[in-house]
Structure formats: structure tokens, C-alpha cells
Amino acid sequence: MVIIGAFIGGLTNSLAIKMLFRPYEPKFIGKFQIPFTPGLIPKRRDQLAQQMGKLVVQHLLTEESIRKKLQDDELKGIVKDKLISEWSKLKEEHRSVDEWLSDLGIKINKKDMQQFVTQKGLQQIDKVVVEWSTKTVDDSFGDFISHEEVHQLTSFLQTKILGIISSESTRFQLEKVVSNYVESKGFLGNMLFSMVNRQELSMKIQRLLIQYIQTEDGYQLLYKNVQKEWEQLKEQELGTLLRFFYKEEVRTKMKASLNQLLSVDKVLQLSVRTLLSPVNSNVTKEWIPLFTEKAFDMLVKQIPQILKQLNIEKMVEAQVATFPTKRMEEMVLSISRKEFKWITYLGALLGGWIGLLQGLLLYFTN
């Protein structure tokens, strides 16, 4: 009886373990479904999927657990180091920007890009013009132009005027003006000026003008006029001075200048290394650490929305519901095969003890 009890106990537990998964599908005799088919897990697959989904959301991938992980300094350090490593590789890239983007599968329409960049440049200029149009010259530049700057401008004009007056062409023009003046006075004028060499007269006038401009009185005359013009100019609105920006020929020239200054083709022909070299130190020391910190902060704030959009509970439920039962059985058995064997042995042991007790009871009762 001990052997029979042990056999029955072991067989029962082994069959019970098998019936957790098998049969995979319900079995029928005619229209009658055989009891206990399919196995427990295939039969309760939908309920199991729902419970697994709730388990993952409520106890495993919770909002709090994800938040703690994203706020972990070690994880931030790993991401930052990875970004710095990738940046170090990128800043040594010798390919042109165009080639590098092409290898990434990114195609750039240079014509459209140039039009976009130029248009943005014009929009920024127009924005500045509109902002400045309602301001006076004094509002915009009054603080930058002092009496010292006016004196510097006067000295500059004095030098330029002296250069113009001292030139041979100016002397020739003065001689021409004298001749025209003499001729305009008729016979009497010609008679009076016949005693004077017109060339020498024009040279004397030229020297007198040069000497006067070089004197303090000449400088003050220039300074007072420059100061007067500046005071009048300060009261004018910039809008009256900036109207030329809206002329068609000016905008055409501006577009041409922006196309050269902001040339997309030139930028794309630069090597990645050359393009990135001016910002290298800032990227590794400031931008990447700041970007990493901001990115993690943003992710932490978006956790509820992300979890809501992912709907992890339904995702897990759908995955478990479609998971092959045979594969699930293999996975469970690969993990718990040893334990299931001991359950079978325990059933045999208990069955043997029960058989022994039954045998003893039968022996003593007889």
C-alpha cells in the first residue's frame, strides 16, 4: 500500500502540474467539452493578462519608481558621459557637413534652405526697422554720441576738407570760377583783372582757404555747424531715415548680400570639425551638463503624461494575452523545474505515508 500510495500521490501532483498548462486548447467529445480542458493557465489567460498588467503598473513600473530612477545622479552621470563621448567623436569628424548629413540619410535642399535663411534674415532686419521707426535718433543713439564724438567728427571733416581744398583739381576749379566771374563783369571786369594773373589769384585763394580751415576759427566754424546739424538730426524719427530699406532695389541688394553672408552652401562644405571647433569647450563644460539636467527634469515632469500615453497596463495585458502558452510553459518550467520535481516527490512521499497509515489501520483493525 505504501508503494501504491506513493505512486498515486506522485502521479497526482505531476498531473496537476501538467494541467496548469495542458491541454492548450479545449477538447470535445462531440459537442461535450471535456472537463478541465484547456489547462488552468490557458483557460484563465485573459484574467492572467489583466492581473499582470495591474501588477506591473501598480507595483513595478510605478510613477514613483520611475521618478526615483530618473532623479538618480548615477544615471544622469552615465547619460552625460555618453553624450560627451559621442561629442568627442563628432568634433573630430573630417567629413563635410553635407557628406555627414548624407551618410545619416538627411537630404538638404540647398535652394530652399538658402531661401529660408535669407527670408529669415530679411524678417529680422524688418523687425528691427519697425521697432526703431517710432524712435527718434536721440532715443537710439543719443547716449552713444557725446561732445567728444562730435569733436572727433569735426576733426575728421577738417582733415578731409583740407585734403579736398589742397588738391590740384580744386585749384583748377577755383581758377575756372575766377575766370567766369571776370567774364561776367564785361569789359570793365576784364580790364581790372587783366593786371592780375588768374592762376596766381586762384592759388592765393586756395592758400587762404587752407590757412583759415587750419585756424581755430575755422575749426570752430566746422564744429558749430556739425553740432547744429546733429541737434537737428536728433529730433528726427528714424522712420524717415529708414524708408530706403523698403525700396525694391535696396531689398534686392540686401538679399544678394545676405545670400553671400549667410551662404548655406559654404556652411555645408565646411568640415564638421571646423564648424564645431568654436563651441567645443562650451559644449563639454556647460551645454551637455545643462542639457542633461534639463532633459531629466523635463522627463520627470512629463512622467504622468508619458505613462498615460503609453498605457502600460493595456500594453502588458495585450502582450500576455498573445504570448504562446507553450512558450510560457517552457519559460516557467525552465525557472521552476527543480521545484516542480520536488512537489512531485513530496506528493509521492505524502502518498506513501498515507498508504502506510492506511495499511497500519487496516492491520490493527483486523
Side-chain angles (χ1 to χ4, degrees):
M1 294 188 72
V2 174
I3 296 174
I4 295 174
F7 176 76
I8 293 173
L11 180 63
T12 302
N13 279 14
S14 178
L15 184 61
I17 292 171
K18 292 287 185 183
M19 290 179 66
L20 287 172
F21 299 95
R22 301 189 184 188
Y24 303 138
E25 303 292 340
K27 303 297 181 181
F28 293 88
I29 299 177
K31 295 183 179 180
F32 177 73
Q33 182 177 341
I34 301 175
F36 306 112
T37 63
L40 177 62
I41 291 178
K43 185 176 183 179
R44 303 293 184 183
R45 176 194 292 272
D46 293 340
Q47 295 178 5
L48 176 64
Q50 292 176 2
Q51 292 303 316
M52 284 291 290
K54 291 180 180 179
L55 173 67
V56 170
V57 171
Q58 296 176 5
H59 301 285
L60 299 178
L61 289 178
T62 63
E63 183 178 328
E64 185 61 29
S65 65
I66 296 174
R67 180 180 291 107
K68 286 182 179 179
K69 189 61 180 177
L70 290 176
Q71 291 175 335
D72 183 23
D73 290 336
E74 183 179 357
L75 177 61
K76 292 180 182 179
I78 292 172
V79 173
K80 183 182 71 175
D81 292 342
K82 181 63 176 176
L83 290 175
I84 291 176
S85 175
E86 292 300 320
W87 170 259
S88 298
K89 296 176 183 177
L90 183 61
K91 70 184 181 67
E92 298 299 329
E93 180 61 64
H94 292 278
R95 287 175 296 173
S96 68
V97 177
D98 196 15
E99 292 173 341
W100 181 69
L101 290 174
S102 296
D103 290 343
L104 291 177
I106 301 174
K107 301 297 182 182
I108 300 293
N109 188 316
K110 296 179 183 179
K111 183 178 179 181
D112 291 345
M113 180 64 72
Q114 186 64 64
Q115 290 178 349
F116 174 80
V117 171
T118 302
Q119 189 63 33
K120 284 295 180 182
L122 284 173
Q123 288 176 2
Q124 290 301 314
I125 293 174
D126 290 342
K127 183 178 179 181
V128 173
V129 170
V130 170
E131 289 177 356
W132 282 15
S133 292
T134 56
K135 298 179 180 180
T136 63
V137 174
D138 190 35
D139 293 335
S140 302
F141 303 104
D143 295 335
F144 302 101
I145 300 179
S146 62
H147 290 292
E148 181 63 30
E149 276 74 28
V150 176
H151 276 293
Q152 291 178 1
L153 178 58
T154 303
S155 297
F156 174 78
L157 289 175
Q158 184 185 41
T159 303
K160 288 294 182 182
I161 291 173
L162 285 172
I164 294 171
I165 294 176
S166 302
S167 68
E168 186 65 23
S169 60
T170 301
R171 190 201 61 77
F172 178 76
Q173 289 296 325
L174 285 172
E175 184 178 345
K176 187 177 180 180
V177 169
V178 170
S179 297
N180 291 336
Y181 178 76
V182 170
E183 292 174 0
S184 68
K185 297 303 179 180
F187 174 76
L188 182 61
N190 281 309
M191 184 181 69
L192 290 174
F193 280 98
S194 63
M195 297 178 290
V196 181
N197 187 308
R198 298 180 183 183
Q199 183 177 359
E200 290 181 357
L201 180 60
S202 62
M203 291 176 66
K204 287 180 180 180
I205 295 172
Q206 186 181 36
R207 283 195 296 269
L208 286 172
L209 288 173
I210 292 172
Q211 290 172 3
Y212 179 75
I213 295 297
Q214 289 176 331
T215 63
E216 181 63 23
D217 288 343
Y219 177 83
Q220 288 298 325
L221 177 65
L222 286 174
Y223 175 76
K224 289 178 181 178
N225 281 278
V226 170
Q227 184 67 33
K228 180 181 177 181
E229 291 298 323
W230 169 240
E231 292 298 331
Q232 293 177 353
L233 182 63
K234 286 197 299 184
E235 301 302 321
Q236 293 189 29
E237 288 189 351
L238 282 172
T240 59
L241 305 175
L242 298 176
R243 288 173 184 170
F244 73 93
F245 275 105
Y246 297 103
K247 292 183 178 179
E248 188 62 33
E249 59 271 20
V250 174
R251 296 189 73 82
T252 300
K253 291 181 179 179
M254 287 171 58
K255 286 181 180 179
S257 299
L258 287 173
N259 283 335
Q260 293 180 355
L261 183 64
L262 306 175
S263 175
V264 172
D265 188 58
K266 289 182 180 178
V267 173
L268 292 176
Q269 295 308 313
L270 291 174
S271 68
V272 177
R273 180 179 182 179
T274 302
L275 185 66
L276 299 181
S277 58
V279 298
N280 180 39
S281 59
N282 289 335
V283 170
T284 54
K285 294 179 181 179
E286 299 176 15
W287 296 356
I288 288 180
L290 180 62
F291 170 78
T292 304
E293 194 67 32
K294 293 296 183 181
F296 274 92
D297 289 344
M298 183 182 68
L299 283 174
V300 168
K301 292 178 182 179
Q302 296 297 321
I303 288 174
Q305 289 81 0
I306 293 173
L307 291 178
K308 183 178 179 180
Q309 291 294 325
L310 289 176
N311 199 354
I312 294 178
E313 182 175 343
K314 291 296 182 183
M315 188 188 302
V316 173
E317 183 179 333
Q319 289 297 316
V320 173
T322 58
F323 201 74
T325 305
K326 184 176 181 180
R327 177 64 185 134
M328 190 182 299
E329 179 186 15
E330 293 173 352
M331 182 176 66
V332 173
L333 291 178
S334 66
I335 298 172
S336 306
R337 188 180 302 277
K338 184 176 180 180
E339 286 75 11
F340 284 153
K341 283 184 178 180
W342 281 108
I343 291 173
T344 303
Y345 295 154
L346 180 60
L349 180 62
L350 291 175
W353 276 104
I354 293 172
L356 178 61
L357 290 175
Q358 286 179 337
L360 291 174
L361 287 173
L362 184 60
Y363 175 79
F364 287 112
T365 53
N366 291 331

